[in-house]
Amino acid sequence: ADFVFREYGVIAELKRLEKNQSEDPKMTAKVQRLYQSWVAQGKRVPIIYGRGRINLRNLPDDCANELISLVREPIARRIRKANEQIKSTKKALGMADAAGLLFLAQDGDYSLGPEAVFNLASRCLKGGQFRSINDIIHFNANLPASRANDPLGYMFWFHACRDEGRAIPSQLIQSLLTLA
């Protein structure tokens, strides 16, 4: 893992979302194939001429869920790897009871907004998978977020715990926040 906070009993892993999925030819091809399959199946999807964006709000629920699964996979892959790294570090350091913290940095992939990334990551962490990750902190790394008609740049930092009984100590979260 990337970080060990022994005094708090926490092992943390940093994963970065760097590759802009909307500019990735492989992802574009996957979305194109998915859209073509919907059209071939006679699904009621909006007709797109030339290049266009697919809006989830305009899709039938089953199509929207398929698209969400597709865009969630790069995030899930990072979470899967972080979980394994935290688990193996716990074993290697003899810290079996350590809590796991995932730092998820939005650092170049701005194809999805921070709320969407955090939502998709939260969906990945639901249920019994990735049990070595107790908390997640999602933040922007190098590019400040902006709002329309607002000249200021903003840094964001979302924190969520999976299980209040196994949450990362608030003192550690506060000390990390002061570094941001």
Side-chain angles (χ1 to χ4, degrees):
D2 292 313
F3 305 96
V4 177
F5 302 98
R6 283 191 183 273
E7 63 275 22
Y8 295 102
V10 174
I11 297 173
E13 180 65 28
L14 170 66
K15 292 298 175 196
R16 297 169 52 206
L17 301 173
E18 302 171 277
K19 188 176 185 181
N20 191 333
Q21 297 299 315
S22 65
E23 296 173 0
D24 179 14
K26 289 180 184 176
M27 180 60 85
T28 302
K30 288 177 185 179
V31 172
Q32 178 72 26
R33 283 192 302 273
L34 193 56
Y35 178 80
Q36 288 171 341
S37 76
W38 297 333
V39 172
Q41 294 171 34
K43 304 260 179 151
R44 298 187 60 129
V45 294
I47 302 299
I48 298 174
Y49 299 99
R51 288 183 59 96
R53 288 189 161 237
I54 298 173
N55 187 331
L56 284 175
R57 291 183 181 95
N58 299 334
L59 294 176
D61 289 346
D62 59 332
C63 297
N65 287 333
E66 286 183 72
L67 185 58
I68 288 168
S69 292
L70 182 66
V71 298
R72 184 182 76 178
E73 184 48 37
I75 296 167
R77 190 171 45 249
R78 285 167 179 80
I79 291 172
R80 196 175 302 115
K81 187 166 182 171
N83 187 70
E84 288 303 315
Q85 289 171 301
I86 291 169
K87 187 188 312 183
S88 67
T89 302
K90 284 180 180 185
K91 186 176 182 180
L93 297 179
M95 295 176 66
D97 294 333
L101 172 61
L102 169 63
F103 292 111
L104 186 61
Q106 203 155 350
D107 188 18
D109 182 1
Y110 300 103
S111 59
L112 296 173
E115 296 88 0
V117 170
F118 194 66
N119 182 290
L120 293 171
S122 296
R123 286 180 184 212
C124 291
L125 291 171
K126 281 187 174 181
Q129 287 190 307
F130 315 121
R131 297 306 300 167
S132 291
I133 299 172
N134 300 93
D135 285 33
I136 181 172
I137 293 174
H138 175 54
F139 62 98
N140 56 337
N142 294 315
L143 181 66
S146 62
R147 298 187 300 192
N149 301 319
D150 188 343
L152 298 176
Y154 298 92
M155 301 307 280
F156 64 82
W157 170 284
F158 301 122
H159 169 247
C161 68
R162 182 179 207 160
D163 174 4
E164 290 290 334
R166 294 270 306 144
I168 302 299
S170 61
Q171 301 91 332
L172 175 58
I173 299 299
Q174 287 303 315
S175 68
L176 293 170
L177 190 54
T178 60
L179 297 175

